[in-house]
Amino acid sequence: MKKNFLKKLAAGFLTSILLVGTIGCSNASDSANSNSSKNGKVELKIGTWAGAQELKEFQAIVDKLNKESKDYHLTIQSIPADYYKKIQTMAAAKQAPDLFWLSQEYIPMYAELGVIAPLDDYIKGNPKVNLNDYFEGPLQVGKVNGKLYGLPWINQPVMLYYNKTLFEKSGVELPKPDWTWEDFEKAAKALTKDTNHDGKVDQFGTVIDGWPPIATWVWTYGGEIIDKNGKVRIDEPEAIEGIKMLNKLINVDKVTPTKTQAQNTGGPEMFKTGKVAMFFGGAGDDFEKQVGNAFEIGMTKVPHAKTEATFSWIAHTVMSNNTKNKKVAAEALVDLTNAIHDWKILPPTKSDLEKVEKIRPDKKYAVDIIKESAKMARGFNNQKQQNELDNAIWQELYEPILLGKKSPEKAAKDAAEALRKILGQ
């Protein structure tokens, strides 16, 4: 789940080169997708980044839908590497798959460039779609200028994983669902130790190395980075209070390995090997399987200050604006998305949350707390320049805080100026 901001920025630049001036003026009649019929069914391609075992599981879903449908036949177009680069290239040539997956941060850009089509008219009245059943967070990121451009198939909130064995061995109180950042800080300090007495810390309370997102602190202190109206607010008092706590954990309390230490070994690996007591990971991460019997894992909600909030990794199924038969393509999109809710956790719908334990039995111990987090999980208020915005936040705020090169106030001010420049504010 961890973001690589520089790679995302490169993808954003590539998009600008390939798409601006070519996609916005396209229409269905220009499409290279003929949607030709086979046995009376409309032929549709579904683009996915799934590969290996995941692809086999996805193929089984598609095979079942093809067998049941009288209207369409789906063919998977697997792009396990350089997914967005290849999708963007195909879109520029008006050969994008009829349906494909998009992570939340790409939706505004693809929508405003005309690459993907709004779904409102095609899903209206469809008994298989209940928009009120979706959690607001995952549904909201698919909306651009009041129109819905995708249906979410996953809502994976960031959770706080912890090494229960290490906590108990150290005599530290176990994390609770109502933990504040001060509670987290206290535990992290108690669990940061030089266990072999060589003068160097070799066990840390947590790991912060560019992950989790800066919003983890900003939102829980009542702040915003960019609000729903696109206004930059990262330099407001509430946001700065969150950044101050982040800075304190890293540079004052020193409860996390340095950026270099963490990235050389890897935050998840440090948690799995008992070098880190608490880790911010996705609800669907498979730490339980990877850790095995090495230690007992616990899970709870992300700590909070003024309000409870957590970032969620959200992806949607979208429809190409160049697909010929949008009515049938939308029907397939709905069926496919609904079927994925039985496969991936967490489903973005309230009614499907009961499936979590069945889909992933290893999460049984944490099902209730995962459900609570799903209700408050959200994505960013994404903009069409989201890749540039993410990179500016990294360069002007997150990395300088990690390296102790800026105060929270200075970092917030510099980041706000950069964001406003990108957005023309």
Side-chain angles (χ1 to χ4, degrees):
M1 286 184 62
K2 181 178 177 182
K3 291 190 174 185
N4 185 320
F5 292 99
L6 296 180
K7 286 184 179 179
K8 286 178 63 182
L9 178 66
F13 284 149
L14 180 64
T15 300
S16 298
I17 295 170
L18 291 175
L19 302 183
V20 173
T22 61
I23 299 301
C25 61
S26 67
N27 55 60
S29 64
D30 296 325
S31 176
N33 293 340
S34 64
N35 291 161
S36 57
S37 297
K38 179 180 181 181
N39 299 324
K41 294 185 178 184
V42 175
E43 287 291 315
L44 300 168
K45 289 184 179 180
I46 167 67
T48 169
W49 53 67
Q53 181 59 35
E54 187 178 33
L55 181 59
K56 293 180 181 179
E57 295 170 1
F58 188 48
Q59 183 67 62
I61 291 173
V62 168
D63 289 344
K64 185 174 184 294
L65 292 177
N66 284 339
K67 185 177 180 180
E68 295 173 349
S69 177
K70 298 179 181 179
D71 300 318
Y72 60 79
H73 180 271
L74 288 166
T75 301
I76 294 176
Q77 190 164 3
S78 176
I79 311 172
D82 297 323
Y83 179 80
Y84 287 105
K85 179 179 179 180
K86 292 175 182 176
I87 284 288
Q88 290 155 6
T89 300
M90 287 187 286
K94 302 173 187 175
Q95 295 179 337
D98 303 281
L99 308 174
F100 54 98
W101 289 354
L102 279 185
S103 183
Q104 59 169 299
E105 64 270 24
Y106 287 92
I107 293 174
M109 176 177 63
Y110 276 60
E112 295 204 20
L113 289 170
V115 177
I116 56 179
L119 303 176
D120 306 80
D121 291 342
Y122 301 102
I123 64 174
K124 185 177 181 180
N126 188 328
K128 297 179 182 178
V129 182
N130 179 6
L131 295 182
N132 292 326
D133 190 33
Y134 282 90
F135 289 109
E136 181 181 358
L139 188 65
Q140 190 63 38
V141 298
K143 294 181 178 179
V144 181
N145 298 325
K147 296 182 179 180
L148 184 65
Y149 282 86
L151 286 180
W153 52 262
I154 192 167
N155 175 38
Q156 189 180 167
V158 173
M159 309 292 297
L160 180 64
Y161 288 86
Y162 59 92
N163 184 326
K164 187 175 180 181
T165 304
L166 196 58
F167 267 80
E168 293 175 340
K169 181 180 178 180
S170 301
V172 179
E173 181 184 10
L174 294 176
K176 296 180 179 179
D178 62 350
W179 255 21
T180 64
W181 282 111
E182 286 74 19
D183 295 324
F184 174 86
E185 178 189 23
K186 181 180 177 181
K189 288 169 69 174
L191 290 160
T192 300
K193 301 177 179 180
D194 172 11
T195 60
N196 59 7
H197 308 293
D198 66 350
K200 298 179 181 180
V201 175
D202 47 30
Q203 176 185 298
F204 294 90
T206 191
V207 56
I208 303 168
D209 62 347
W211 175 263
I214 201 92
T216 306
W217 290 272
V218 171
W219 291 345
T220 56
Y221 275 83
E224 282 286 354
I225 298 172
I226 297 173
D227 67 20
K228 292 181 179 180
N229 296 318
K231 180 182 177 182
V232 175
R233 296 179 53 193
I234 200 168
D235 55 347
E236 294 182 357
E238 295 84 357
I240 292 175
E241 285 302 306
I243 299 167
K244 284 181 177 178
M245 175 53 78
L246 169 66
N247 179 69
K248 189 178 181 186
L249 292 168
I250 296 170
N251 297 310
V252 179
D253 301 329
K254 299 185 184 299
V255 296
T256 175
T258 66
K259 177 189 171 188
T260 301
Q261 286 175 314
Q263 293 184 349
N264 283 346
T265 305
E269 191 64 29
M270 295 187 79
F271 177 69
K272 289 185 291 184
T273 56
K275 300 296 183 183
V276 165
M278 295 180 283
F279 183 81
F280 296 94
D285 289 350
D286 62 349
F287 287 123
E288 296 84 2
K289 294 180 181 179
Q290 294 185 48
V291 167
N293 297 321
F295 60 85
E296 186 177 356
I297 287 182
M299 187 195 297
T300 193
K301 292 187 286 187
V302 167
H304 68 279
K306 294 181 179 180
T307 185
E308 290 189 325
T310 189
F311 171 76
S312 183
W313 187 80
I314 300 164
H316 283 231
T317 313
V318 298
M319 179 170 68
S320 170
N321 212 14
N322 286 326
T323 190
K324 287 282 190 180
N325 194 324
K326 288 186 174 65
K327 181 178 179 181
V328 174
E331 177 189 342
L333 184 151
V334 170
D335 291 344
L336 185 64
T337 305
N338 287 343
I340 297 175
H341 294 176
D342 294 329
W343 174 41
K344 291 290 186 181
I345 68 167
L346 262 64
T349 47
K350 303 163 191 174
S351 61
D352 287 325
L353 274 186
E354 299 305 319
K355 301 174 182 178
V356 172
E357 187 176 335
K358 181 180 179 181
I359 299 171
R360 289 285 299 276
D362 56 310
K363 298 292 182 180
K364 181 178 180 179
Y365 76 101
V367 166
D368 289 340
I369 207 70
I370 288 175
K371 289 179 180 178
E372 287 186 33
S373 290
K375 296 173 184 177
M376 64 180 183
R378 55 168 287 193
F380 299 123
N381 293 314
N382 295 293
Q383 309 296 310
K384 64 180 180 181
Q385 308 96 327
Q386 194 63 37
N387 290 299
E388 286 184 80
L389 297 169
D390 284 343
N391 187 67
I393 292 168
W394 173 253
Q395 290 187 334
E396 299 296 341
L397 196 163
Y398 211 150
E399 186 174 46
I401 292 291
L402 285 175
L403 300 176
K405 291 186 174 181
K406 289 183 182 180
S407 69
E409 293 85 355
K410 172 65 172 171
K413 179 178 181 294
D414 291 348
E417 289 178 356
L419 299 185
R420 289 187 179 111
K421 183 176 180 180
I422 293 169
L423 294 172
Q425 296 180 7

